[in-house]
């Protein structure tokens, strides 16, 4: 009997050990499939900005007839519904900006803790895996900032003096955070086709996103052919996550099915950093907003006749003679840092050294170094005779040293920004009167053409002898001739949308990037900055104007001609804007272009913007504020709190 009892105990012990081993085995297998996303939380870029979105405890919202209705919160027995939660779950329209190509988004949500987010990246390409891990860490960090900015507000309401203790108590990383009704979130990222990690004109940026809610787990699957598609999927997923200040928790949509592709490959934003200097941090902030808008090209108008802020390792004299000060410069490390920051966010940097015009200050040192006059008409007066705006300056087309310097600059920028099939050569507003003082026996238009062709040749040398597929130039009298090859040059059209050059360039076979001054110039509408002459365009371009501009539709292009439209770009020239006003001048108007170029949705009314579009745009503007941008409001706050009443 004693022996039987001992045997029974031994068997029970063995079964217990076997069960324990199986549990450990299962745990290890699960860990090999899904990693805890909290390990990716880093302080890569602090976007916390909580002052512009205060908690609104006085109001609750109810979903009535597909819209959120504001009510005074007086019945404490009923749960208060914050506006964000109501707006995310009420109504059948998409909540994503830019609007996806095809989407179904559910109307239920789950609370979750960042500790409960697991992820898995599946791709045969190690370089893609590394970049996706970096992109995912940014995704996690920004969600953490959404929580912190909101929970910090709650902390301030409770006690201004004990923020640290309260902050720690509510941190999403705290294992003691309340657990009731929390959901696990498993995120799977699949990149199956290409190993490319540098954007090109042929990059596939499409993605599919599915979300399924089963057994207290939201499973998210993002499938794409490239890193860039998967990153776009993460940007969309982030818009399906928000902070509920009543539950004091993050929430995620429980179910969704999205198939999304951009209409245009080139979706750009240009910033001029010559007329005013912008810090690296302000440029990065712009890139953050671009990444959430799915804009993918940052056209960096790096230099102009006013200043030359780039410090070249080959020709530091350019910045020594051309920068506003020793603090208002971009080092090689700065450019590389910005390029890396942009790449992981799905953005390509296109750095432009404008030439031959718009090149004055910074180029004066040639004679001292025995290189001759590198630029002509520098600061010449009266400026109106020799350039489009003061100060003047135009590169010397008959000094070979000018082209040697350009070649080295192109080489540096290509090294710092990475492989590309597109490069911007400038070519804007050449003034023939400037050159006529020196070369009156020459066909000046041919001289202009020869300059751009020689610059392209030097670009090829700078690129290791490999031709850049597409060299971009600004539209001008030169492109209307035309004398540049339509196989090597794309034209950025900046003139009016009704100008004849639009049709002439299409008929001449050029690929176009559209930046029409009457719709997509964000610097317009702030009055003249000179006492004489026209010094500014007007009127102000509202976000509605930016959004409603569909030049390909107005031009009635056929299918073959549509292929020549690479995309478009909003431009922020900086005569009247500096770092203090950058955010509000650019955002959220640039995001209006982003949707037009991404999905180009068809409105029921071609002249008015739908209520749903207003609602989505307002929500996206609030997200930009959460990310740390001082984006301007699109209407009074009453209109944001009272859906559809103002539009």
């Amino acid at each position: 009997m004693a022996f039987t009892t001992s045997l029974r105990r031994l068997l029970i012990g063995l079964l217990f050990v076997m069960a324990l081993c199986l549990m450990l085995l299962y745990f290890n297998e699960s860990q090999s499939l899904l990693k805890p996303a909290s390990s990716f939380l880093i302080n890569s870029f602090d976007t916390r900005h909580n002052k512009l979105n205060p908690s609104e405890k006085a109001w609750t919202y109810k979903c009535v007839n597909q819209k959120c209705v504001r009510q005074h919160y007086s019945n404490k027995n009923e749960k208060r519904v914050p506006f964000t939660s109501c707006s995310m779950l009420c109504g059948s329209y998409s909540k994503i900006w830019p609007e996806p190509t095809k989407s179904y988004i559910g109307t239920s949500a789950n609370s979750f803790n960042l500790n409960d987010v697991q992820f898995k990246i599946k791709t045969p390409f190690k370089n893609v895996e590394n970049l996706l891990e970096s992109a995912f860490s940014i995704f996690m960090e920004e969600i953490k900032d959404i929580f912190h900015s909101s929970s910090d507000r709650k902390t301030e309401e409770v006690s201004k003096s004990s923020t640290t203790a309260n902050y720690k108590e509510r941190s999403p990383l705290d294992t003691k955070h309340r657990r009731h009704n929390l959901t696990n979130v498993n995120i799977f990222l699949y990149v199956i086709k290409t190993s490319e990690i540098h954007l090109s004109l042929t990059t596939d940026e499409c993605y599919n996103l599915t979300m399924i809610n089963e057994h207290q787990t939201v499973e998210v699957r993002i499938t794409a052919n490239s890193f860039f598609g998967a990153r776009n999927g993460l940007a969309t997923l982030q818009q399906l996550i928000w902070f509920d200040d009543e539950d004091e928790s993050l929430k995620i949509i429980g179910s969704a099915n999205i198939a999304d592709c951009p209409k245009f490959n080139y979706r750009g934003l240009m910033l001029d950093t010559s007329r005013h200097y912008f810090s690296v941090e302000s440029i990065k902030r712009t890139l953050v907003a671009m990444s959430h808008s799915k804009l993918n090209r940052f056209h960096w108008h790096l230099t102009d006749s006013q200043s030359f802020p780039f410090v070249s390792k080959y020709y530091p004299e350019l910045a020594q003679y051309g920068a506003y000060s020793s603090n208002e410069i971009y080092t090689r490390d700065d450019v590389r840092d910005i390029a890396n920051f942009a790449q992981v966010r799905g953005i390509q940097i296109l750095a432009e050294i404008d030439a031959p015009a718009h090149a004055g200050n910074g180029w004066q040192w040639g004679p001292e170094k025995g290189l001759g006059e590198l630029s002509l008409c520098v600061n010449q007066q009266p400026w109106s005779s020799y350039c489009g705006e003061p100060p003047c300056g135009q590169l010397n087309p008959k000094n070979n040293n000018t082209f040697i310097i350009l070649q080295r600059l192109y080489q540096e920028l290509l090294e710092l920004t990475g492989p590309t099939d597109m490069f911007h050569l400038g070519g804007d507003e050449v003034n023939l009167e400037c050159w006529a003082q020196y070369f009156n026996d020459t066909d000046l238009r041919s001289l202009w053409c020869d300059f751009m062709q020689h610059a392209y040749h030097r670009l090829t040398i700078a690129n290791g002898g490999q031709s850049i597929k597409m060299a971009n130039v600004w539209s001008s009298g030169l492109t209307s001739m035309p004398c540049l090859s339509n196989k090597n040059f794309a034209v950025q059209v900046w003139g009016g949308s009704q100008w004849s050059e639009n049709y002439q360039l299409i008929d001449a076979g050029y690929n176009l990037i559209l930046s029409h001054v009457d719709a997509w110039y964000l610097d317009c509408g702030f009055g003249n900055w000179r006492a004489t002459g026209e010094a500014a365009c007007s009127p102000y371009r509202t976000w509605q104007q930016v959004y409603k501009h569909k030049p390909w539709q107005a031009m009635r292009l056929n299918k073959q001609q549509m292929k020549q439209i690479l995309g478009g770009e909003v431009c922020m020239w900086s005569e009247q804007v500096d770092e203090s006003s950058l955010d509000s001048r650019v955002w959220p108007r640039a995001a209006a272009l982003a949707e037009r170029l991404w999905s180009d949705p068809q409105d029921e009314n071609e002249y008015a913007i739908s209520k749903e579009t207003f609602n989505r745009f307002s929500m996206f503007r609030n997200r930009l504020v959460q990310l740390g941008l001082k984006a301007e409001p699109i209407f009074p706050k009453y209109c944001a709190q009272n859906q559809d009443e103002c539009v």
Side-chain angles (χ1 to χ4, degrees):
M1 188 72 176
F3 176 77
T4 303
T5 302
S6 299
L7 184 60
R8 187 184 298 115
R9 289 175 178 171
L10 179 61
L11 288 172
I12 292 172
L14 286 171
L15 287 171
F16 176 78
V17 171
M18 287 175 64
L20 186 62
C21 290
L22 285 171
M23 289 174 63
L24 288 171
L25 209 67
Y26 175 79
F27 176 78
N28 288 333
E29 180 66 19
S30 298
Q31 292 300 301
S32 69
L33 291 174
L34 289 164
K35 300 178 183 178
S38 57
S39 63
F40 279 74
L41 291 173
I42 57 172
N43 292 314
S44 59
F45 188 70
D46 189 3
T47 59
R48 212 173 299 168
H49 189 78
N50 56 36
K51 299 299 182 184
L52 298 183
N53 281 324
S55 181
E56 299 165 355
K57 297 290 188 179
W59 306 104
T60 186
Y61 294 83
K62 289 189 176 181
C63 185
V64 180
N65 296 326
Q66 302 287 298
K67 72 174 184 179
C68 292
V69 177
R70 186 179 75 162
Q71 298 179 353
H72 194 269
Y73 183 53
S74 57
N75 185 357
K76 303 302 180 181
N77 294 322
E78 289 186 10
K79 183 178 179 181
R80 185 181 69 90
V81 178
F83 174 75
T84 303
S85 291
C86 180
S87 60
M88 287 298 297
L89 302 175
C90 179
S92 57
Y93 62 90
S94 166
K95 308 304 190 293
I96 307 301
W97 193 279
E99 185 175 34
T101 310
K102 296 179 181 179
S103 66
Y104 158 77
I105 298 173
T107 55
S108 63
N110 297 70
S111 298
F112 73 99
N113 185 308
L114 283 185
N115 279 336
D116 300 322
V117 179
Q118 308 278 321
F119 82 101
K120 174 66 177 178
I121 295 172
K122 189 172 182 179
T123 178
F125 313 112
K126 187 61 180 176
N127 57 345
V128 172
E129 181 179 356
N130 292 339
L131 205 57
L132 272 175
E133 287 187 347
S134 298
F136 191 79
S137 71
I138 293 167
F139 167 82
M140 290 295 295
E141 187 68 23
E142 289 180 343
I143 293 175
K144 185 184 74 171
D145 283 342
I146 290 173
F147 183 95
H148 283 167
S149 63
S150 302
S151 61
D152 283 351
R153 288 197 300 272
K154 174 67 175 176
T155 298
E156 291 173 3
E157 291 167 8
V158 175
S159 171
K160 298 261 184 182
S161 62
S162 58
T163 56
T164 303
N166 288 329
Y167 167 83
K168 289 181 178 179
E169 187 175 313
R170 274 188 304 276
S171 170
L173 301 179
D174 190 347
T175 56
K176 294 181 180 179
H177 186 71
R178 59 182 183 174
R179 295 288 310 168
H180 66 278
N181 296 324
L182 290 182
T183 297
N184 295 313
V185 178
N186 296 338
I187 302 173
F188 298 85
L189 302 174
Y190 299 92
V191 174
I192 56 180
K193 187 175 181 180
T194 177
S195 63
E196 67 176 321
I197 56 173
H198 296 281
L199 199 66
S200 75
L201 289 169
T202 58
T203 298
D204 184 345
E205 295 182 81
C206 304
Y207 68 92
N208 288 320
L209 184 153
T210 60
M211 301 172 68
I212 301 173
N213 180 13
E214 291 182 347
H215 310 300
Q216 282 296 99
T217 298
V218 174
E219 183 175 289
V220 181
R221 292 184 180 272
I222 297 173
T223 305
N225 286 331
S226 73
F227 158 76
F228 298 94
R231 196 224 64 86
N232 288 330
L234 281 176
T236 294
L237 175 60
Q238 190 166 334
Q239 291 191 48
L240 300 176
I241 296 171
W242 69 97
F243 181 80
D244 185 299
D245 65 12
E246 180 67 16
D247 289 345
E248 297 182 48
S249 70
L250 291 165
K251 293 206 168 184
I252 184 171
I253 290 290
S255 61
N257 196 338
I258 298 172
D260 206 7
C261 278
K263 179 170 183 174
F264 294 100
N265 182 280
Y266 190 106
R267 306 178 303 280
L269 183 155
M270 189 224 73
L271 178 64
D272 163 25
T273 61
S274 169
R275 290 170 176 86
H276 277 101
Y277 174 83
F278 295 85
S279 70
V280 171
E281 286 304 305
S282 68
I283 292 174
K284 285 183 175 181
R285 198 167 61 246
T286 301
L287 292 168
V288 168
M290 287 180 65
S291 71
H292 287 270
S293 307
K294 300 187 178 77
L295 292 171
N296 66 353
R297 268 143 181 127
F298 179 72
H299 176 182
W300 189 354
H301 189 82
L302 186 53
T303 68
D304 212 289
S305 57
Q306 284 84 358
S307 74
F308 198 109
F310 174 57
V311 182
S312 165
K313 74 174 180 180
Y314 299 115
Y315 302 104
E317 296 89 350
L318 290 163
Q320 290 170 9
Y321 283 75
Y324 287 130
S325 72
S326 58
N327 292 323
E328 294 168 287
I329 58 172
Y330 303 105
T331 66
R332 286 170 54 85
D333 286 342
D334 289 335
V335 176
R336 185 183 292 107
D337 180 33
I338 288 170
N340 291 337
F341 188 91
Q343 181 189 17
V344 74
R345 289 165 175 80
I347 301 167
Q348 181 185 42
I349 301 293
L350 296 174
E352 174 197 355
I353 305 290
D354 205 350
H358 294 274
N361 288 288
W363 294 89
Q364 313 97 310
W365 49 274
E368 294 180 22
K369 302 292 183 177
L371 300 180
E373 293 289 353
L374 302 172
S375 186
L376 309 172
C377 318
V378 178
N379 302 328
Q380 188 170 352
Q381 293 288 347
W383 62 264
S384 56
S385 298
Y386 305 107
C387 60
E389 70 174 44
C392 296
Q394 200 154 286
L395 295 181
N396 188 343
K398 292 196 173 183
N399 184 346
N400 193 52
N401 290 316
T402 299
F403 294 102
I404 293 173
I405 293 172
L406 285 176
Q407 177 186 319
R408 286 298 185 90
L409 290 173
Y410 297 158
Q411 179 184 334
E412 284 191 85
L413 293 175
L414 287 168
E415 290 172 353
L416 296 172
T417 60
T420 181
D421 61 352
M422 180 175 280
F423 195 90
H424 209 298
L425 291 174
D428 192 26
E429 295 183 318
V430 170
N431 186 290
L432 298 183
E433 293 302 318
C434 169
W435 279 350
Q437 300 174 99
Y438 304 89
F439 315 117
N440 58 8
D441 59 342
T442 306
D443 181 344
L444 297 178
R445 284 186 174 272
S446 295
L447 189 62
W448 185 3
C449 185
D450 290 342
F451 185 99
M452 297 310 300
Q453 290 174 332
H454 198 172
Y456 180 74
H457 172 66
R458 291 290 180 166
L459 174 63
T460 300
I461 297 173
N463 196 42
Q466 298 294 317
S467 296
I468 297 286
K469 183 176 181 180
M470 203 67 68
N472 299 346
V473 294
W474 293 100
S475 60
S476 64
L478 174 63
T479 56
S480 64
M481 289 172 56
C483 69
L484 302 177
S485 168
N486 59 23
K487 297 186 185 306
N488 304 120
F489 288 87
V491 180
Q492 184 166 359
V493 182
W494 68 268
S497 56
Q498 302 301 315
W499 288 15
S500 59
E501 67 177 357
N502 294 280
Y503 305 93
Q504 293 169 352
L505 290 166
I506 284 287
D507 291 340
Y510 285 105
N511 291 311
L512 305 186
I513 297 165
L514 302 177
S515 296
H516 292 140
V517 64
D518 52 358
W520 291 345
Y521 263 40
L522 303 184
D523 56 294
C524 292
F526 295 94
N528 288 355
W529 53 271
R530 296 197 307 257
T532 60
E534 294 183 5
C537 49
S538 62
Y540 179 84
R541 288 20 171 176
T542 66
W543 76 265
Q544 294 96 322
Q545 287 176 286
V546 174
Y547 187 79
K548 278 295 187 180
H549 188 53
K550 310 173 190 177
W552 44 88
Q553 182 174 306
M555 292 171 69
R556 301 183 183 277
L557 302 179
N558 60 38
K559 185 178 290 188
Q560 180 57 41
Q561 290 171 327
M562 275 297 295
K563 293 180 181 179
Q564 293 173 240
I565 307 297
L566 301 179
E569 184 172 282
V570 286
C571 298
M572 176 49 74
W573 300 100
S574 63
E575 287 93 343
Q576 295 175 281
V577 61
D578 63 9
E579 188 165 334
S580 65
S581 54
L582 175 63
D583 289 2
S584 61
R585 293 283 179 92
V586 175
W587 303 105
R589 289 187 294 163
L593 172 89
E595 177 158 296
R596 181 56 55 211
L597 296 178
W598 181 269
S599 51
D600 191 23
Q602 295 298 314
D603 293 332
E604 293 181 7
N605 187 325
E606 287 301 312
Y607 302 98
I609 291 178
S610 69
K611 294 177 180 179
E612 289 80 6
T613 301
F614 263 94
N615 292 332
R616 287 189 302 108
F617 198 61
S618 176
M619 289 168 62
F620 186 75
R621 180 264 173 182
N622 290 341
R623 285 187 174 273
L624 293 178
V625 172
Q626 281 186 319
L627 289 165
L629 283 101
K630 296 179 180 178
E632 66 179 5
I634 67 169
F635 44 33
K637 186 167 182 176
Y638 174 86
C639 303
Q641 287 185 332
N642 294 271
Q643 190 175 330
D644 296 350
E645 287 195 19
C646 302
V647 294

